[in-house]
Amino acid sequence: MNPAELLTALVATPSVSGDEARIADLVAGHAESWGARVHRQGHNVWFSVGSGPKRLLVNSHLDTVKPCAGWNTEPHEAVWKDDTLYGLGANDAKGCVTAMLLTAKALLEEGAPKGVECVFALTAEEETGGKGLGPLLSTLGPLDAAIVGEPTSLKPCTAQRGMLLLRCVAHGKSGHVAHAHTGNLDNAILKAARDIQAVSALRFPAHPLLGEARAQVTQVSGGLARNQVPDRCEFFVDLRTTPGMDHAKVAEDVGQALESEVVVHSARYLPKGTDASHPLVRAAVVASGQDTVGSSTTSDWAFLGDIPAVKVGPGDTLRSHQANEYLTRAELEAGLEFYRRLLHGYAGEVSRG
């Protein structure tokens, strides 16, 4: 099966997050037919190629978001037009999955890089942060480094933003609006408005690859009736953090800057960064011929703890989660060649110390 045929089969298999059973079966079946000893946990599929003191995770995700409006083709059909494949997941991230699978096939046939056990894990629910790579990690065992397959135009991404969500509640004193002039009431919406202005003025140190982190107010709700001074107003703050920003400390600092009560709503998507001197980064730069970049989008890298990682793969991040998602044949073939160079290059870097 050539790369285009495998990508076609994967894209033609619907795998909206949480419903990846069919595509997991397909991936597992191919890997088993090539001689891999395949393991399953839920809709996650993994197997190892090679052996050695170093264990390298090679990961991408099988799931997609739900199709949005505006498609010119059926989203769950794989439609080739000239040398371009249109279909949900073609770019995010079934191109990466295809290239990784065929890289594993080549290693099984030709022999794996010496000194490295390549742990291929094609996982579920990346788009929803559910039962995918995070819960699987303890089963995979200790890992020395990781490749996270996402569409980056094959540019090695060594820094990724995290996501900190804060729920802020302004408290006031309610009463009839006719009595507001007495000064005995406290409008929570006005208090929240002051805090929203304060949020927009917050500044954090810039990251060399990602730039500034700017807090954004994304939802506001308050008030019970048009003739009642509101005693409560809630708003949410979304802050896409950068490596070096501690979520607990940032939440504390924001709380001190606002009148409103501030609580952490979600902090599990941590910012990530890998030092440029790491062997995997050096190998990725050589394999791609491109400088390292930062990524504003989150991925399963967020759940890898302190494991050094590079996020990289064929396709363009700007196509993700949009109608008429596509991947070109040239991008797919370049991704396959890139991953093969990267794995061998990493083994070489490790052997040189």
Side-chain angles (χ1 to χ4, degrees):
M1 178 174 282
N2 65 41
E5 291 171 338
L6 181 55
L7 178 62
T8 300
L10 293 177
V11 172
T13 305
S15 57
V16 171
S17 195
D19 189 21
E20 304 96 339
R22 284 180 57 201
I23 197 168
D25 289 343
L26 179 64
V27 166
H30 281 300
E32 286 172 345
S33 72
W34 301 331
R37 184 167 176 262
V38 175
H39 307 272
R40 286 282 293 268
Q41 179 175 302
H43 301 328
N44 302 298
V45 177
W46 79 97
F47 56 92
S48 289
V49 181
S51 61
K54 294 295 183 180
R55 302 185 78 236
L56 174 66
L57 175 66
V58 185
N59 164 255
S60 192
H61 62 94
L62 300 172
D63 62 316
T64 71
V65 293
K66 294 179 180 180
C68 61
W71 280 82
N72 296 329
T73 60
E74 168 56 42
H76 291 302
E77 290 183 6
V79 179
W80 283 96
K81 295 183 179 179
D82 297 324
D83 281 332
T84 301
L85 179 66
Y86 292 87
L88 184 63
N91 181 74
D92 185 16
K94 294 182 180 181
C96 298
V97 172
T98 300
M100 287 180 171
L101 275 172
L102 292 178
T103 297
K105 180 176 184 290
L107 297 184
L108 286 164
E109 293 172 348
E110 303 165 3
K114 291 183 179 180
V116 177
E117 178 185 351
C118 299
V119 182
F120 289 84
L122 295 316
T123 50
E125 299 189 33
E126 186 271 346
E127 299 291 0
T128 56
K131 300 174 182 177
L133 181 60
L136 184 66
L137 275 178
S138 60
T139 303
L140 295 179
L143 299 165
D144 296 289
I147 301 166
V148 178
E150 292 284 352
T152 68
S153 301
L154 295 183
K155 296 176 181 178
C157 168
T158 58
Q160 172 181 282
R161 287 187 184 273
M163 181 175 68
L164 175 63
L165 297 181
L166 303 175
R167 182 170 64 87
C168 307
V169 181
H171 298 282
K173 183 178 180 182
S174 185
H176 199 294
V177 293
H179 305 310
H181 67 284
T182 65
N184 293 323
L185 306 180
D186 186 9
N187 191 315
I189 290 179
L190 292 179
K191 185 179 293 185
R194 292 193 296 270
D195 279 345
I196 289 170
Q197 283 293 107
V199 167
S200 69
L202 293 174
R203 293 294 180 268
F204 304 92
H207 185 274
L209 293 179
L210 295 167
E212 282 190 275
R214 293 285 183 92
Q216 299 292 324
V217 175
T218 55
Q219 288 182 306
V220 182
S221 61
L224 297 175
R226 291 186 297 275
N227 62 351
Q228 182 183 34
V229 174
D231 62 359
R232 189 178 190 278
C233 183
E234 179 181 89
F235 60 95
F236 282 85
V237 174
D238 185 318
L239 177 57
R240 299 305 167 111
T241 53
T242 59
M245 294 177 68
D246 178 83
H247 281 184
K249 180 64 166 60
V250 170
E252 180 183 352
D253 290 345
V254 173
Q256 292 178 351
L258 305 185
E259 297 179 70
S260 300
E261 173 191 2
V262 177
V263 297
V264 174
H265 183 73
S266 176
R268 66 193 185 112
Y269 283 93
L270 300 175
K272 294 294 178 179
T274 303
D275 193 273
S277 64
H278 191 275
L280 183 61
V281 176
R282 297 199 303 264
V285 169
V286 172
S288 67
Q290 303 187 75
D291 292 332
T292 59
V293 298
S295 173
S296 294
T297 60
T298 60
S299 71
D300 276 340
W301 185 3
F303 304 124
L304 286 177
D306 295 329
I307 299 169
V310 172
K311 181 165 75 173
V312 61
D316 188 331
T317 184
L318 297 179
R319 299 176 204 153
S320 300
H321 300 190
Q322 292 191 0
N324 306 312
E325 183 181 350
Y326 69 89
L327 191 75
T328 69
R329 189 187 305 269
E331 288 173 325
L332 177 61
E333 292 174 350
L336 172 58
E337 182 58 31
F338 166 78
Y339 285 137
R340 293 177 69 174
R341 290 198 305 268
L342 176 54
L343 296 187
H344 285 285
Y346 173 68
E349 291 285 347
V350 167
S351 68
R352 287 190 288 272

